[in-house]
Amino acid sequence: MQPATACASSGLTIPWLRRCSSLRVKCSTSQRAHCASTSTADTAEPIEPIEPIDPIETDPEPDPEPFKLKPLPYPFNALEPHMSKETVEYHWERHHRGHVDSLNAIIQGTEFAEMELENMVLTSYNEGNPLPFFVHASQVWNHDFFWETMKPGGGGNPSNVLKYLIERDFGSLDELAKEIQNAALTQFGSGWVWLAYKAHRLGVGNDINPRPSKKDKRLVVVKTPNAVSPLVWDYYPLLAIDVWEHAYYMDYENRRGDYVSVFLDKLISWDVVSDRLKNAMFRASKREKMEKREMLLDKMKEARLRVKAVDLRPTPKARPKMKRRQY
Amino acid sequence: MIYRPPLMMDYSVAGVNTKLSTIAEICYTISSNFVVTETLRTPSSKLLQADTPTNTDTVEGKEIQKKKREREKEMVLQLVMAPNWCGCGVASANSTKISTNAFKMSSNRFNFSKPYPGRAYRVTAYYSLTTPPYELDALEPYMSKRTVEIHWGKHHNEHVERLNKHLKTSAFYGHTLEEMVKATYNNGSPLVEFNDSSSVWSHDFFWESMQPNGGSMPKGGVLDQIKKDFGTFTNFKDEFTFAALSIFGPGWVWLYLKKNERKLAVAPTQNAISPLVWGDIPIIGLDMWEHAYYLDYKDDRSAYVNNFLDHLVSWHSVMVRMMRAEAFVNLGEPKIPVA
């Protein structure tokens, strides 16, 4: 049995109050009443002193590296001969790491340091007027995504839901490849090419599309400039191809088309893409349900506010008086 | 380029090849236009009506048809050398013959024969790839031959070809390159021809901004102007480097003459934008797209820019460009010594 603890507010020893180190015990009104009525010399046991709590808690030192560079899921030379070791090494070590370091340097000590990366990308995009560290946050996210989209010995064909959706929305895998090629070749300058799942949304905040159309809940190929990603348009990205020149220049020089076709034939990991699709569809449907429920609740609230005290009892129908039959 | 600095005249690349095999073996003309003649057959032409269609059922008929076709081909494939920039009709001394699978060029010939008299001919002109005023390996070791070959032969070439493809159906056909850049920029909502026309212009400008054994210090009036506008020459170099490194993604960095403020300034731009769109006069242009330096420097952009400023930039072209710019911008009264 632990010794009786003294009440923090009145300093009286209370037999039923046991010390629990993590709880700040609050006395109920009845207990306080008891405290008031009893005298201090109830027990002979010494009162254990309460551990003093520092009134001012010093903030822990800010983490100098809120974001760490995620290691590659395969060694540098695993993607040979389609993507050389040199390219992978330079791309990851210099460009990706450079973005991580710049991001850490900018957000260290600010409120953004505790955010998740995806959240940070969306916040810093700031609806098209990006904050200075948007490019770094977005590029870190994009590159993580990119490395995971590839695998040694990749390629092949998609399966199951992904295959069904590709065939429904593009016709065939070849058509999809053509569209991706087209997007990559028409992206002027640097950027990314994405296959994304477009859910049932209009693209602004609280925006359930009230008139679902064929354009919703489908796969789309999009291209983005520089560091932008389809996250900012509320799409769910499934695969990413980096068409910045540093991603392919040493292996393919200016032949971006060749790089993209080799990526789709030999490097892509359709399993990862399928997983992402499943995840995306699940999240999208969950979100939709939640939002529909919220919308319904809002409507009900509004309805309740509009309604005044009205007698809802059914009024008796006005019937003509039945004439007594005159016999 | 409206104005081509004299160092262009030293250029010559020898070699005539029927196959477009390697970049180094291709020869291109100096002038930026060559003319293709096309025949226009108006359906309402009386001559066409007079032309009886050959009966290709007989062997004779087939032969006649064949000869007609060959004649047509010859006519279409005749190229006339356009007057070069100096305005004279004679082809310049350094002109070389192009021979490709498609075209045969007759040099120094200004008349073109009209095989079918009375028919209307329409002359069309498109842009061609201009050549750097030095050998492709002349900028070693600061810019390798491979980089120049790919940058010029593939990227620059691709832009020229895409521009020509646009021009076949574009309303901007016939504009000079500078006009087209300004017009297609459309005050910030660029039209589809902007990227390619601006890239072609900027790349021409870029090759001419460099020379083998370039760099070091400018002399005379250029140095004075730089000192006036930047403080010291080192200041200018620092500003230029800082601007170059501040670009995120593909872009260019320019030293240009602001027309309204009548002073030199340094500015970075994104993608294919150049100071032409602001109505200013570019003096030096440096390509900061990754394809310009990745093979040589990988991601070490500061080394690339420093090497450009120290060893590659052609202060001779800068001087010539400033001289031309002074015709448009009054940079101040000359100091005429009083006797």
Side-chain angles (χ1 to χ4, degrees):
Chain A
M1 276 287 264
Q2 284 178 352
T5 329
C7 169
S9 53
S10 63
L12 303 167
T13 316
I14 303 162
W16 59 79
L17 204 60
R18 293 290 174 248
R19 178 179 309 168
C20 175
S21 54
S22 60
L23 282 176
R24 267 190 236 135
V25 184
K26 244 193 197 171
C27 297
S28 67
T29 38
S30 55
Q31 291 164 357
R32 270 190 226 131
H34 175 90
C35 284
S37 59
T38 52
S39 61
T40 48
D42 254 358
T43 57
E45 287 170 20
I47 301 166
E48 278 197 18
I50 308 164
E51 272 178 9
I53 307 164
D54 274 347
I56 305 161
E57 268 190 8
T58 49
D59 284 333
E61 284 219 6
D63 188 3
E65 253 189 71
F67 286 97
K68 313 262 188 301
L69 176 61
K70 211 170 165 184
L72 288 177
Y74 33 75
F76 290 144
N77 59 357
L79 301 176
E80 296 261 14
H82 313 296
M83 193 181 272
S84 64
K85 170 175 186 261
E86 213 189 354
T87 302
V88 177
E89 204 175 334
Y90 260 93
H91 199 170
W92 182 78
E93 185 62 48
R94 305 298 299 258
H95 294 272
H96 193 175
R97 188 184 283 280
H99 284 298
V100 172
D101 292 342
S102 312
L103 180 65
N104 284 335
I106 298 179
I107 63 167
Q108 184 193 27
T110 64
E111 66 213 5
F112 300 104
E114 280 129 40
M115 273 184 164
E116 289 290 323
L117 190 56
E118 210 172 298
N119 215 2
M120 195 185 305
V121 170
L122 293 170
T123 329
S124 56
Y125 185 66
N126 202 14
E127 317 291 339
N129 198 6
L131 304 176
F133 61 93
F134 165 72
V135 291
H136 301 297
S138 189
Q139 284 290 72
V140 171
W141 191 93
N142 294 346
H143 279 98
D144 284 341
F145 197 80
F146 175 61
W147 298 125
E148 284 162 12
T149 314
M150 296 193 287
K151 74 169 184 206
N157 290 311
S159 54
N160 296 336
V161 190
L162 181 58
K163 180 167 179 223
Y164 165 70
L165 279 181
I166 288 177
E167 281 172 7
R168 185 193 74 170
D169 297 329
F170 296 100
S172 67
L173 188 61
D174 289 332
E175 289 288 313
L176 171 67
K178 235 195 258 178
E179 266 212 49
I180 291 183
Q181 276 267 359
N182 191 32
L185 294 170
T186 52
Q187 175 53 37
F188 187 73
S190 308
W192 297 76
V193 176
W194 307 82
L195 177 68
Y197 177 69
K198 178 178 191 265
H200 184 52
R201 310 197 68 78
L202 290 170
V204 279
N206 173 18
D207 62 346
I208 303 175
N209 187 348
R211 301 182 59 186
S213 74
K214 278 193 288 185
K215 291 189 190 153
D216 297 333
K217 288 202 182 137
R218 56 177 309 160
L219 298 177
V220 285
V221 167
V222 285
K223 61 182 192 233
T224 56
N226 289 4
V228 181
S229 80
L231 287 178
V232 307
W233 303 327
D234 230 352
Y235 291 6
Y236 297 90
L238 304 177
L239 82 77
I241 307 182
D242 190 355
V243 291
W244 280 65
E245 282 166 337
H246 61 240
Y248 61 90
Y249 214 72
M250 291 200 272
D251 303 330
Y252 300 91
E253 291 162 0
N254 73 319
R255 301 186 313 270
R256 199 185 271 187
D258 288 351
Y259 159 66
V260 170
S261 59
V262 166
F263 182 97
L264 290 172
D265 289 334
K266 305 271 168 51
L267 286 174
I268 190 172
S269 163
W270 287 114
D271 299 330
V272 168
V273 179
S274 294
D275 286 340
R276 286 170 180 163
L277 175 65
K278 263 189 237 163
N279 194 11
M281 289 170 83
F282 174 68
R283 278 163 63 196
S285 66
K286 204 166 105 170
R287 200 169 161 200
E288 203 183 319
K289 278 189 201 142
M290 267 180 55
E291 278 170 351
K292 274 197 182 146
R293 217 180 63 186
E294 273 180 29
M295 238 174 46
L296 200 61
L297 287 171
D298 284 341
K299 271 193 191 158
M300 282 167 60
K301 242 194 236 175
E302 254 179 76
R304 248 180 273 150
L305 289 169
R306 265 190 271 126
V307 161
K308 292 172 197 165
V310 170
D311 189 0
L312 290 173
R313 283 177 300 180
T315 48
K317 251 189 186 172
R319 280 200 200 92
K321 257 185 166 170
M322 241 174 74
K323 277 193 179 163
R324 275 192 179 256
R325 282 204 190 150
Q326 304 290 332
Y327 289 110
Chain B
M1 277 292 286
I2 292 173
Y3 189 97
R4 303 184 83 70
L7 39 78
M8 282 292 290
M9 295 297 260
D10 296 327
Y11 166 74
S12 70
V13 167
V16 176
N17 246 333
T18 48
K19 291 185 214 163
L20 291 171
S21 43
T22 61
I23 306 292
E25 290 167 46
I26 298 167
C27 37
Y28 293 87
T29 56
I30 293 173
S31 69
S32 55
N33 293 306
F34 56 81
V35 176
V36 177
T37 57
E38 288 178 22
T39 56
L40 254 189
R41 288 166 182 245
T42 51
S44 55
S45 155
K46 289 176 190 168
L47 289 162
L48 249 187
Q49 288 166 6
D51 210 0
T52 50
T54 46
N55 184 7
T56 43
D57 289 341
T58 59
V59 174
E60 261 181 29
K62 282 186 189 156
E63 277 183 78
I64 294 172
Q65 182 77 337
K66 211 174 156 186
K67 277 189 192 157
K68 263 195 193 171
R69 283 220 183 102
E70 274 179 87
R71 194 116 192 256
E72 270 178 40
K73 254 193 224 171
E74 242 187 67
M75 204 170 56
V76 167
L77 294 178
Q78 246 181 18
L79 282 181
V80 174
M81 179 86 116
N84 64 7
W85 65 271
C86 77
C88 54
V90 178
S92 81
N94 286 334
S95 73
T96 46
K97 285 188 188 172
I98 284 188
S99 108
T100 67
N101 285 335
F103 300 113
K104 269 208 164 149
M105 187 177 79
S106 49
S107 59
N108 292 339
R109 195 147 66 119
F110 229 68
N111 51 330
F112 71 98
S113 49
K114 287 192 191 177
Y116 294 118
R119 288 209 182 165
Y121 289 85
R122 182 182 71 193
V123 169
T124 52
Y126 295 100
Y127 287 97
S128 74
L129 185 64
T130 55
T131 30
Y134 33 78
E135 298 280 347
L136 298 181
D137 58 358
L139 300 177
E140 296 261 16
Y142 308 107
M143 193 178 274
S144 63
K145 179 179 184 217
R146 189 173 163 225
T147 302
V148 179
E149 268 181 7
I150 299 173
H151 194 174
W152 173 68
K154 298 200 180 166
H155 289 276
H156 190 177
N157 199 11
E158 199 195 344
H159 286 301
V160 171
E161 284 174 8
R162 267 211 300 243
L163 175 64
N164 286 337
K165 204 170 85 174
H166 284 306
L167 286 179
K168 281 199 166 73
T169 49
S170 165
F172 294 101
Y173 170 81
H175 281 53
T176 61
L177 214 40
E178 284 191 14
E179 273 178 16
M180 203 178 333
V181 170
K182 288 185 204 178
T184 50
Y185 183 65
N186 199 15
N187 294 316
S189 312
L191 307 173
V192 70
E193 300 93 347
F194 173 73
N195 280 336
D196 291 311
S197 55
S198 187
S199 293
V200 170
W201 190 93
S202 304
H203 279 96
D204 284 345
F205 195 81
F206 174 55
W207 299 123
E208 290 167 7
S209 300
M210 297 194 286
Q211 68 175 70
N213 303 320
S216 68
M217 292 268 282
K219 299 187 194 78
V222 174
L223 186 59
D224 288 341
Q225 187 67 35
I226 288 180
K227 281 192 181 158
K228 183 170 156 219
D229 295 328
F230 291 96
T232 64
F233 183 65
T234 328
N235 246 13
F236 153 69
K237 281 216 275 187
D238 289 340
E239 265 202 51
F240 195 84
T241 315
F242 181 75
L245 299 177
S246 72
I247 302 172
F248 179 72
W252 291 73
V253 61
W254 305 89
L255 170 69
Y256 66 108
L257 184 65
K258 289 187 171 183
K259 264 196 190 156
N260 291 336
E261 295 169 42
R262 295 187 293 203
K263 57 188 299 203
L264 288 173
V266 162
T269 55
Q270 289 285 352
N271 285 7
I273 295 175
S274 74
L276 288 179
V277 308
W278 308 322
D280 294 325
I281 304 174
I283 305 289
I284 301 178
L286 174 57
D287 191 352
M288 292 302 296
W289 284 57
E290 281 171 329
H291 60 239
Y293 60 86
Y294 211 75
L295 292 174
D296 299 332
Y297 300 93
K298 304 239 169 40
D299 76 322
D300 193 358
R301 296 199 292 176
S302 52
Y304 168 61
V305 182
N306 287 331
N307 277 340
F308 173 82
L309 284 173
D310 294 336
H311 303 285
L312 287 176
V313 66
S314 165
W315 291 113
H316 175 76
S317 344
V318 170
M319 178 184 72
V320 162
R321 286 164 183 169
M322 285 291 288
M323 276 165 61
R324 176 180 177 260
E326 284 182 312
F328 297 89
V329 178
N330 183 5
L331 288 173
E333 297 296 328
K335 280 205 194 118
I336 301 171
V338 178

